[in-house]
Amino acid sequence: MSGSSALSKTLSNLDQFRVVSRDLTRGTLTGGVFTAVAYALLVLLLIAELGAFLRTTYQTNIVMDPNEESLMQINFDILMLDLPCKFLKLHVWDKFGEERIEQGEQFHYIPVDRTGQNKGMAYTKEEISVLEQVPPESRMGAATSGVACCGKRDGIAWCQNDRLNVYLENLAQQSKTFDSAWLYREELLLPISPRACAPSPQYILLYQRSETKDGAAGGASGQALAPERVRTQLRLDWSRDGLCFMETDRRLPEELLVRSKVLEPPLSPSALLSELAEVKGLIFDAEAWSSQQFCFNLMEMGTGREYDYR
């Protein structure tokens, strides 16, 4: 007996679904009718499915728009290179281009560089109009409390401030010095679209100087009070609005503190003025010359003990 015959016999013995011999069964009229009906249904189903597959049909449904508002929101993002934002106009017309449709200008203009990357803040049409109406002398800034000023001329954020230079020259004439520097970081939100903002860190640098003021006469005996030690902060902000400075009597919150440096020997205003003169030809750039590069560059001035906080 061959091997294949032995294998077939073995598999036959393992069969658990044995077939009843045809000699032991008989056909009936009812069974034949149901069998014929089943075969007919299978043939009809095959023909119907094949016809549906080969035949193409179109169906049109007319549905009323449930939106009852008079305005429709349209989201778009258009990039225009080598074209200032103030020259861009947006109008909505009908399909035939004959009737102008009422629109709400809820979009923003964002300056970009030659590669298409965002290089400035997002402005609305109204904000651009207001900025163009401001005279150049007003763009320099004005003092609000204490000594404060921003240096931005002709709409370009140059890294210089004439009033800051005069302020440092006056301190140098009075032989004032800065004994420490404090670097802070604020997390601002920069609008990138009408409904989205991206985090943008803003670094702030404070130069501290300490002075001793004589105490005034007081008390019932009229005796002079002990000399008072006063700390004054020179705050420097470099941003898209230009180089701003402010004189204040307090530092920023401790949770914003990034680094501090005790200047030994103290830093003179003349040295700070010389360092600012070397970078006065630079303009604001979010990647190459932002507030981070500006502040860390000034922090490297002078020697002393540095402390990192975060």
Side-chain angles (χ1 to χ4, degrees), residues 184-187 254-259 308-310:
Y184 297 86
R185 183 180 67 193
E186 290 182 336
E187 297 296 338
E254 295 295 331
E255 57 268 18
L256 303 179
L257 185 59
V258 176
R259 179 183 297 181
D308 293 325
Y309 300 91
R310 59 177 177 140

Side-chain angles (χ1 to χ4, degrees), residues 62-92:
I62 300 178
V63 181
M64 297 299 295
D65 188 358
N67 184 14
E68 298 180 356
E69 299 182 0
S70 59
L71 297 179
M72 177 183 298
Q73 178 177 338
I74 302 176
N75 299 323
F76 62 92
D77 186 3
I78 302 176
L79 181 63
M80 302 290 291
L81 298 176
D82 299 328
L83 182 63
C85 295
K86 63 181 180 180
F87 297 126
L88 289 176
K89 301 295 181 182
L90 179 64
H91 302 292
V92 180

